[in-house]
Amino acid sequence: MVGYHPEPINGKALSSTEHSEAGLASGIATRAIIQPLDVLKIRFQLQEEPIRGIESGKYKGVGQSIRLIIREEGVLAFWKGHVPAQGLSAVYGLVQFASFEWFTKQATVLFNPPKSFEKGTDFLCGALAGCVAMTAAMPLDVIRTRLVAQGIDKDKLVYRSTSHAIMKIYKYEGLAGYFRGWVPSVAQIAPFTGLQFMLYNLFIGWYHTFVEGKDSGGALLCGAMAGTAAKTVLYPLDMVRHRLQMRGFQRKGFGKSSNYSIGMTRTFRHVIKHESIYGLFKGLWPSQIKAAANSGFAFLFYELFCDLLRARKELRQ
């Protein structure tokens, strides 16, 4: 399990710095695996035309989209925006796990919640950790989204590189440009992270009632299930978040592209009116695959790195 435990695991308590190290390493390792899935998810989310039917847009399914991107842009297109995405995952992983450990410790020490409210504590502390992590990583998320959304004509690229995107966004949009879509981001990430931590600790607890001993398969499986369930419930907020991050940025080569100068609520209504209720779930399938991989590997690597840090601590004693 993750979170604060009054009785240290294996008798070895980790410091806040060590939890941060484990979270940082987990974020970096996880991003290296799931980046192509993130590119697919964002392309689907930003496509305003239907995915299926006579008037369907450019991307019609996972397999078709993979083949199309490879044919038009090459395999490296799946790694567009990888530099800011890697930075995003590193910052997010570090802040998310470290703050969750800190929040659960403060909740336990200050309020001593009853055993029956353990899962509620996980949810509330996870939600707070998600808000802090998303705010810290938001500028990199905006840059990553825009780099992934760029067209295929190299002569018409809006941003030539990550550093160019940083400078250009600041020049034309100011500091506010780095926080486009912050409201739906926090509205989505708070319950998502809360559910993710709550469900992970719930599933891993069930897992260990049937499987004795600690093994990496449990963390991977339970993390994948927790991430998939949380992502499915809250997916429309994630889709709207990416639409709002494109405000002030016109894409070329991907079909229709509206300029979302409206807020979160009106964006929801706009999508439903012009793309139907199903428009809120564009890219759900690749997003579920990504959520399962992202959450599963994040918890797996975090648990593994925590174990390595405990082993290092034991050797030094």
Side-chain angles (χ1 to χ4, degrees):
M1 289 189 177
V2 297
Y4 174 71
H5 302 278
E7 295 296 327
I9 298 174
N10 298 330
K12 306 172 191 69
L14 297 179
S15 66
S16 297
T17 301
E18 288 169 324
H19 283 302
S20 298
E21 287 179 34
L24 176 66
S26 172
I28 293 172
T30 301
R31 171 55 58 178
I33 295 172
I34 58 94
Q35 173 68 10
L37 294 171
D38 206 30
V39 170
L40 276 176
K41 182 197 76 167
I42 292 174
R43 291 288 179 91
F44 275 113
Q45 287 179 333
L46 299 181
Q47 176 174 286
E48 297 185 27
E49 295 86 353
I51 292 176
R52 295 180 178 84
I54 299 175
E55 299 180 354
S56 61
K58 187 170 187 175
Y59 303 114
K60 301 173 174 60
V62 175
Q64 178 267 346
S65 299
I66 291 173
R67 292 190 298 271
L68 182 62
I69 291 172
I70 292 174
R71 185 171 69 248
E72 290 189 343
E73 307 170 57
V75 175
L76 292 180
F78 289 105
W79 301 93
K80 279 186 176 180
H82 183 60
V83 172
Q86 189 61 266
L88 165 67
S89 292
V91 172
Y92 192 87
L94 186 159
V95 177
Q96 175 186 235
F97 282 108
S99 58
F100 180 72
E101 299 282 353
W102 188 85
F103 282 130
T104 52
K105 180 178 181 179
Q106 298 308 307
T108 303
V109 173
L110 297 177
F111 303 106
N112 191 25
K115 186 76 173 177
S116 59
F117 194 66
E118 188 177 69
K119 294 300 177 284
T121 302
D122 285 341
F123 177 80
L124 292 174
C125 292
L128 288 171
C131 290
V132 175
M134 175 51 70
T135 302
M138 190 74 196
L140 289 165
D141 190 30
V142 171
I143 293 167
R144 178 276 308 257
T145 299
R146 293 193 181 187
L147 288 175
V148 169
Q150 289 197 114
I152 60 178
D153 189 343
K154 293 183 179 180
D155 295 328
K156 296 181 180 179
L157 291 180
V158 180
Y159 307 120
R160 296 188 299 272
S161 63
T162 300
S163 58
H164 183 240
I166 292 171
M167 293 185 292
K168 194 165 183 178
I169 290 173
Y170 181 76
K171 179 179 179 180
Y172 292 103
E173 303 174 55
L175 288 175
Y178 299 120
F179 293 90
R180 298 291 190 193
W182 182 82
V183 173
S185 293
V186 171
Q188 181 253 344
I189 210 65
F192 173 78
T193 312
L195 278 173
Q196 184 178 241
F197 278 110
M198 183 187 77
L199 291 174
Y200 175 76
N201 282 335
L202 176 66
F203 292 155
I204 202 72
W206 288 348
Y207 181 85
H208 288 310
T209 61
F210 298 102
V211 180
E212 293 184 2
K214 186 174 182 180
D215 65 278
S216 57
L220 180 62
L221 175 63
C222 295
M225 291 193 301
T228 302
K231 175 61 72 175
T232 302
V233 171
L234 298 163
Y235 186 76
L237 281 167
D238 189 45
M239 197 282 293
V240 168
R241 170 174 74 99
H242 281 114
R243 289 286 179 94
L244 288 175
Q245 286 179 344
M246 301 305 294
R247 186 184 300 173
F249 175 75
Q250 290 297 313
R251 301 179 302 135
K252 302 295 183 183
F254 293 102
K256 185 179 178 182
S257 178
S258 297
N259 185 10
Y260 289 91
S261 59
I262 54 181
M264 182 177 71
T265 303
R266 291 179 64 188
T267 299
F268 267 108
R269 293 202 297 263
H270 177 88
V271 171
I272 293 171
K273 179 180 178 181
H274 296 281
E275 305 172 48
S276 83
I277 191 69
Y278 298 108
L280 295 175
F281 292 90
K282 282 180 176 177
L284 178 61
W285 174 230
S287 186
Q288 286 175 321
I289 299 172
K290 183 221 168 183
N294 185 63
S295 186
F297 283 114
F299 281 107
L300 169 63
F301 289 133
Y302 181 71
E303 298 268 25
L304 288 176
F305 286 122
C306 282
D307 288 342
L308 288 173
L309 290 171
R310 291 188 188 98
R312 184 182 70 179
K313 205 165 197 173
E314 187 175 16
L315 289 174
R316 289 178 175 177
Q317 291 177 347

